[in-house]
């Protein structure tokens, strides 16, 4: 026995009474008008304009850029330039710019023996480039000091919620600084310190912290 189709529904699930899609109409149509001086015809828009408009214009969303772009290095920055850090733990300290990493961040060092600033990455948006430079012609930074070098070690075990609860709020024990990174710091600083000692008073300049006094404005200072 053949299965009956419900009333008003076609076999493929579309209503039998559905209207076919209308063909795209033209923006204007010709309409006859009366009056001897008005002409016989007039062009009228097919769709009427809305009577009300929004009080404020709604801006169209801008398309987002999907690819990552590396920020270009400022012309005032070159290997050996002494920079002033403006943010972070070492703000107000001076450091020596070594090279730009693949991510666009700057690789800097204090050196650590002079002002306590270690090898670290920093955005060039948070540094002031000075006119003082250190000759780094004989300094070679190892290729392994890259963005992955500063990444966190994911192999470390995390404490569970139960362990944190029974620790009674005690802080985590400080882990020893990796010996490999400490040796890398010493090797880089040894080369930079040799270049710093060639210029008189440069070590004292790097050790001194920077700040603004009352009535001083950064845009009026020549660095």
């Amino acid at each position: 026995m053949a299965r009956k189709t419900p009333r008003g529904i076609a076999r493929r699930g579309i209503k039998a009474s559905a209207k076919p899609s209308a063909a795209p109409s033209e923006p204007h149509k010709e309409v006859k008008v009366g009056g001897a001086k008005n002409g016989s015809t007039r062009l009228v828009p097919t769709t009427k304009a809305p009577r009300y408009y929004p009080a404020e214009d709604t801006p169209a969303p801008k398309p987002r850029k999907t690819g990552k772009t590396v920020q270009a290095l400022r012309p005032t920055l070159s290997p050996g330039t002494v920079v002033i850090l403006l943010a972070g733990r070492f703000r107000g300290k001076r450091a020596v710019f070594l090279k730009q990493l693949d991510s666009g961040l700057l690789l800097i060092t204090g050196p650590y023996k002079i002002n306590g600033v270690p090898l670290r990455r920093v955005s060039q948006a948070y540094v002031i480039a000075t006119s003082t430079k250190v000759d780094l012609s004989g300094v070679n930074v190892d290729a392994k000091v890259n963005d992955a070098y500063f990444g966190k070690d994911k192999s470390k075990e995390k404490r569970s919620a139960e362990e944190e609860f029974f620790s009674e709020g005690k802080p985590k024990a400080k882990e020893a600084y990796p010996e490999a990174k400490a040796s890398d710091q010493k090797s880089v600083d040894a080369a930079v310190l040799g270049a710093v000692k060639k210029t008189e008073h440069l070590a004292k300049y790097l050790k001194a912290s920077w700040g603004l006094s009352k009535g001083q404005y950064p845009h009026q200072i020549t660095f």
Side-chain angles (χ1 to χ4, degrees), residues 63-146:
R64 293 185 177 181
K65 295 181 180 179
T66 54
K68 291 184 179 180
T69 56
V70 178
Q71 189 176 6
L73 194 64
R74 277 188 282 169
T76 53
L77 288 169
S78 60
T81 302
V82 177
V83 297
I84 300 171
L85 304 179
L86 300 177
R89 178 182 172 187
F90 301 100
R91 60 184 177 273
K93 296 273 189 178
R94 291 179 172 90
V96 180
F97 166 56
L98 299 176
K99 66 176 182 178
Q100 188 181 24
L101 301 175
D102 294 337
S103 62
L105 298 176
L106 310 181
L107 179 65
I108 62 167
T109 184
Y112 183 80
K113 191 174 181 180
I114 292 179
N115 53 22
V117 179
L119 275 170
R120 64 188 289 112
R121 298 177 298 174
V122 64
S123 172
Q124 58 180 316
Y126 299 105
V127 299
I128 296 175
T130 65
S131 57
T132 308
K133 288 195 175 184
V134 181
D135 185 14
L136 298 182
S137 56
V139 179
N140 293 322
V141 182
D142 198 342
K144 69 179 180 181
V145 184
N146 50 20

Side-chain angles (χ1 to χ4, degrees), residues 12-24:
R12 294 186 180 180
I14 304 174
K15 289 186 178 180
S17 59
K19 295 181 180 179
S21 57

Side-chain angles (χ1 to χ4, degrees), residues 38 43 57 77 83 92 101 117 166 172 174 182 194 200-201 206:
N38 292 332
L43 286 175
D57 295 334
L77 288 169
V83 297
L101 301 175
V117 179
F166 287 106
K172 293 181 181 179
K174 289 187 177 180
E200 191 179 2
H201 305 304
L206 291 171

Side-chain angles (χ1 to χ4, degrees), residues 157-201:
E157 295 181 358
K158 294 183 179 180
R159 289 197 302 178
S160 62
E162 186 177 354
E163 290 176 350
E164 290 183 0
F165 179 78
F166 287 106
S167 63
E168 298 178 356
K170 294 179 182 179
K172 293 181 181 179
K174 289 187 177 180
E175 297 179 0
Y177 192 72
E179 294 182 3
K181 289 189 176 182
S183 62
D184 293 338
Q185 180 75 57
K186 289 178 182 178
S187 62
V188 172
D189 282 1
V192 176
L193 281 170
V196 169
K197 289 178 181 178
K198 294 179 182 178
T199 306
E200 191 179 2
H201 305 304

Side-chain angles (χ1 to χ4, degrees), residues 22-35:
S25 59
E26 295 183 359
H28 295 85
K29 62 180 179 179
E30 191 174 354
V31 180
K32 292 183 178 181
V33 293

